[in-house]
Amino acid sequence: MSSEIVTGERQELRRSVTPWGSYSWGYADVGADIFVALGLVIGVAGGATNIAFLFAGLVYVAVGLAYTELAAAYPVAGGGQYFVMRGLGDFLGFIAGWAVLLDFTIDITLFAWGCVGYLSHLPVLNVLDASAHPLAHFWVILALIAGLAVLNVIGVRESTAFNGFVSAIDVFSETLILVLGFLFTFHPELLIHSMQSGWPNTFQLMNGISLAIISFVGLESISHAAEETNRPASIIPRTSISLILTILIFALAYSNLALGMQPWHPVPHDAAGHAQQFWHYLGAVQNQDKAVAVMATNIPYFGLLAAFYVPVFGATLLLISSNSGVFGSSRIAYAMSQFQLLPSIFKRVHRKFKTPVISIAVFCTLAAIELVFAALQGNFGYEFLGDLYAFGAAASYTLVFVALIALRLKDPLTPRKFLIPLNLKMRFKGEEVLFPIVAVIGFLGIFAILIFVLLTHHIGRIAGPSWLLFGIVIYAIYRLRKKLPLFGSAPRNWNRDQVQILKNAGELELMDELVGKLKARDPNFTMRTP
């Protein structure tokens, strides 16, 4: 294998992601989130589940708009890590990237777990149920992680085709469940009753909101694929906005349907023998990893088909989301290595397949280790992974909003084909800039969710900061050995880099526009090193 790995200083990823491929990379990650989050959020937020999704959804819209602007303006692999590094320096860029790496490795395990959970809803595959057969459940998940690692080594084009096919089926299927569910089982008065009778206390609501953000994690997958996307400045805004609207509608619709749904079948009594409402049954531990399938099977008539169909497509969608975790983690590590935030071994690319094979192997191994720790939690393994997932996303998104504001001030010349709305004209160091009001609102929202995570997630508030501390030690050792500044940044010429980025992306008009602005400001500007 080693003889087939390229070890040069700059190794290019293959640019082969189409518009539908870009959308499906994002949908593969975010579209599956409702399958994972719905049961977890109902389990803690009860009658305020729709409110928890609404609050997290509003923050998600701001996050999505920020990522859309930044990914279109800076189309390189790395996503939030790159934006933060460019706007706030190497050290905070490393923190943002390392936090997202935690999320993507958990993504691999959490969604593979959910995949097996949905399959276990099929009567012929109940041998995979985590509660009844934990050992079989564990080995099947481990086999899935190994298989996805091999798929991603073969190449992004093959992974993209796989995602695109399954995403198309899922958009149709999720819509079908909602249409039939609202048509045959939804009662507005039941929704109001569920909200009144099941309203949680403040602690539970904060916990629910922090878990609801899981439903919206993964949009950055589009930016991670930016370096492999054709004409990214034109394609990414269209695919990102479409994805934001799709996911927001699905999350709000599913949470309201769950609270106002009159099930086709009688609701079983709980473990203590007490009667329970349908939403309570959905949030029970045994149903949290298959909540959408349980909903679908309780729609009149369609439920007969859904009992076999929904677990299969739900499991498939969760599998491609797990696949997105493999893709995202390897691309973030690749990008961090390119910028000397991680050792150079992570930027090695396979000579034949042009994929970062070492990064794929390392982060799939970490995902397998997380699986072992989750399996040791018994029936609470799914909640264990969810706790960790919420911390990484909230920490990284908080820094991305600050980076967006910093880049608007420090780099006003880079052309932006998409700007988030509500901007305030002002002057900064002699340049006219547009200050983004939405970024401030988004920062306050996601910072509040980060506080909720630290207050309500016992595992997340210990394991999350510990992960960051572990990463800082690796970063410090590497930077000191390379004689690079620990808290400062390595010397770079961002203007020349940006011109080259736009050239590599095929955005030649934007490249010419940027060169013209740079020469107008500095007549001596040249792409050559002085």
Side-chain angles (χ1 to χ4, degrees):
M1 180 71 77
S2 60
S3 63
E4 296 181 324
I5 295 174
V6 180
T7 57
E9 282 301 311
R10 175 67 185 174
Q11 297 132 34
E12 300 292 342
L13 298 170
R14 185 169 54 188
R15 195 173 289 278
S16 58
V17 178
T18 61
W20 174 248
S22 175
Y23 177 90
S24 62
W25 267 114
Y27 188 83
D29 224 357
V30 196
D33 289 350
I34 191 65
F35 285 76
V36 168
L38 185 62
L40 290 171
V41 177
I42 292 178
V44 296
T49 295
N50 51 354
I51 303 301
F53 277 106
L54 176 62
F55 185 92
L58 293 175
V59 174
Y60 157 73
V61 171
V63 171
L65 292 174
Y67 265 93
T68 302
E69 176 178 324
L70 292 168
Y74 307 101
V76 296
Q81 169 271 318
Y82 178 82
F83 309 143
V84 174
M85 178 187 69
R86 185 150 179 170
L88 304 175
D90 286 6
F91 181 71
L92 290 179
F94 171 80
I95 296 294
W98 194 250
V100 171
L101 277 174
L102 172 64
D103 257 12
F104 273 89
T105 55
I106 295 169
D107 184 293
I108 299 169
T109 310
L110 177 65
F111 288 84
W113 186 300
C115 170
V116 177
Y118 272 83
L119 286 177
S120 71
H121 194 60
L122 292 170
V124 294
L125 291 176
N126 57 13
V127 68
L128 299 179
D129 184 81
S131 300
H133 307 282
L135 198 57
H137 180 263
F138 172 84
W139 284 112
V140 171
I141 295 174
L142 192 61
L144 288 178
I145 293 173
L148 292 177
V150 173
L151 178 66
N152 278 268
V153 168
I154 292 173
V156 66
R157 179 179 296 169
E158 290 72 12
S159 295
T160 302
F162 178 58
N163 285 357
F165 173 72
V166 178
S167 294
I169 295 175
D170 183 72
V171 170
F172 171 77
S173 299
E174 285 199 52
T175 304
L176 183 63
I177 292 173
L178 287 174
V179 170
L180 295 178
F182 276 104
L183 194 60
F184 295 118
T185 71
F186 182 71
H187 298 278
E189 66 278 12
L190 182 57
L191 168 65
I192 295 171
H193 173 73
S194 297
M195 293 182 68
Q196 291 175 336
S197 64
W199 193 262
N201 59 39
T202 303
F203 181 86
Q204 291 168 326
L205 181 58
M206 288 193 300
N207 195 1
I209 292 171
S210 64
L211 285 172
I213 198 66
I214 291 174
S215 274
F216 306 110
V217 175
L219 181 70
E220 65 271 22
S221 291
I222 291 178
S223 60
H224 294 153
E227 194 165 326
E228 294 158 84
T229 302
N230 296 312
R231 298 300 304 273
S234 303
I235 289 175
I236 286 176
R238 298 203 302 268
T239 56
S240 293
I241 298 300
S242 301
L243 187 62
I244 291 169
L245 293 176
T246 305
I247 300 306
L248 186 63
I249 291 170
F250 278 167
L252 295 179
Y254 269 96
S255 56
N256 280 286
L257 177 60
L259 294 177
M261 185 170 169
Q262 183 64 52
W264 195 22
H265 304 102
V267 178
H269 288 183
D270 63 17
H274 301 134
Q276 56 183 344
Q277 296 184 55
F278 184 63
W279 60 264
H280 189 221
Y281 176 62
L282 279 179
V285 171
Q286 70 271 20
N287 291 323
Q288 285 181 348
D289 62 351
K290 53 178 94 60
V292 173
V294 175
M295 284 180 66
T297 55
N298 277 283
I299 298 174
Y301 308 111
F302 173 68
L304 295 173
L305 173 65
F308 298 94
Y309 167 56
V310 175
V312 173
F313 92 74
T316 309
L317 183 64
L318 290 164
L319 182 62
I320 62 172
S321 187
S322 181
N323 186 45
S324 293
V326 178
F327 178 85
S329 59
S330 60
R331 268 49 179 188
I332 294 170
Y334 168 88
M336 292 173 74
S337 179
Q338 293 279 14
F339 290 101
Q340 297 179 300
L341 305 183
L342 281 177
S344 59
I345 192 172
F346 290 104
K347 68 180 177 182
R348 293 188 177 184
V349 173
H350 194 282
R351 187 181 300 279
K352 176 181 178 182
F353 300 119
K354 297 290 185 183
T355 50
V357 59
I358 301 294
S359 294
I360 291 170
V362 168
F363 290 101
C364 283
T365 301
L366 284 174
I369 294 172
E370 289 163 0
L371 171 63
V372 172
F373 280 102
L376 292 174
Q377 310 300 315
N379 286 336
F380 298 99
Y382 202 55
E383 291 184 20
F384 169 83
L385 293 169
D387 273 6
L388 292 176
Y389 199 56
F391 174 84
S396 177
Y397 290 168
T398 300
L399 288 173
V400 166
F401 279 120
V402 181
L404 172 63
I405 296 171
L407 285 169
R408 284 283 193 92
L409 300 178
K410 295 167 63 176
D411 185 25
L413 299 187
T414 289
R416 291 166 170 81
K417 294 194 75 170
F418 175 84
L419 279 177
I420 60 176
L422 296 179
N423 298 291
L424 180 65
K425 277 189 178 179
M426 57 181 286
R427 296 197 72 81
F428 181 76
K429 293 186 177 180
E431 301 275 2
E432 185 176 271
V433 300
L434 294 172
F435 186 84
I437 305 297
V438 171
V440 177
I441 298 171
F443 169 80
L444 294 174
I446 195 65
F447 188 69
I449 291 178
L450 179 60
I451 298 300
F452 294 167
V453 171
L454 294 174
L455 289 175
T456 61
H457 295 244
H458 303 301
I459 296 173
R461 68 167 169 253
I462 296 173
S466 298
W467 169 262
L468 290 183
L469 185 60
F470 171 62
I472 289 171
V473 171
I474 296 175
Y475 176 81
I477 293 173
Y478 169 68
R479 297 280 285 198
L480 290 174
R481 288 186 63 182
K482 290 290 183 181
K483 298 182 179 178
L484 292 168
L486 189 56
F487 296 106
S489 298
R492 300 186 183 93
N493 189 321
W494 287 123
N495 289 331
R496 282 205 295 264
D497 287 354
Q498 183 65 16
V499 172
Q500 191 62 48
I501 287 169
L502 294 175
K503 181 181 179 181
N504 293 342
E507 300 289 358
L508 301 183
E509 291 181 4
L510 296 181
M511 182 192 73
D512 291 341
E513 180 184 340
L514 175 59
V515 172
K517 289 179 179 177
L518 290 170
K519 286 187 175 178
R521 187 172 68 179
D522 178 11
N524 296 320
F525 173 77
T526 175
M527 286 296 290
R528 296 179 179 176
T529 303

